[in-house]
Amino acid sequence: MNRPPPANETDSLVDYPLSDGVNFDNLAELRKHAEQQIDNLVEGQALRVRFTSLQHSGSAAVALMIAIYRRGHVTGRKVSFVDVPDAVINIIEVSGLSEVLPVAGPSRSPV
């Protein structure tokens, strides 16, 4: 699994690229790592989760997004999701989560 570099304390926006597949086998590991990224943010920083070249996605990706967003909310950190595959955005919309999760896909602008 690709690991993003540690957060630079001078950057206000910290990228967290997801380039491996997200499935229920690796969900716990990805969640733990993303939560560590959120916990390591300093005041004024936000986490941008980038679905870079994500090969496999679906409901597991949505579950991961909910967990990451919840952790950000609880810790008072802003989290956004970009380059989200249309299939994942469709699941989010059908699930009624489009008003909750700040997502941007290839054909959609950031929320």
Side-chain angles (χ1 to χ4, degrees):
M1 177 176 16
N2 295 336
R3 298 274 189 221
N8 180 338
E9 292 188 21
T10 62
D11 294 337
S12 62
L13 190 60
V14 178
D15 261 336
Y16 179 67
L18 285 175
S19 56
D20 296 330
V22 178
N23 56 56
F24 288 106
D25 292 332
N26 66 3
L27 180 62
E29 180 183 354
L30 291 171
R31 177 182 177 174
K32 179 180 176 184
H33 189 259
E35 288 176 347
Q36 290 171 344
Q37 289 290 316
I38 292 169
D39 293 345
N40 290 334
L41 294 175
V42 296
E43 188 66 35
Q45 286 184 318
L47 186 71
R48 177 175 53 197
V49 180
R50 184 177 299 280
F51 284 73
T52 309
S53 305
L54 191 65
Q55 297 298 318
H56 307 288
S57 60
S59 58
V62 175
L64 178 62
M65 292 170 72
I66 292 168
I68 292 170
Y69 188 76
R70 182 180 300 143
R71 180 61 159 249
H73 181 73
V74 167
T75 60
R77 301 291 190 241
K78 185 176 179 182
V79 175
S80 62
F81 304 95
V82 296
D83 300 332
V84 180
D86 286 337
V88 174
I89 291 176
N90 290 338
I91 295 170
I92 290 168
E93 289 174 347
V94 168
S95 301
L97 296 170
S98 56
E99 297 298 317
V100 178
L101 293 173
V103 299
S107 59
R108 301 165 197 231
S109 59
V111 175

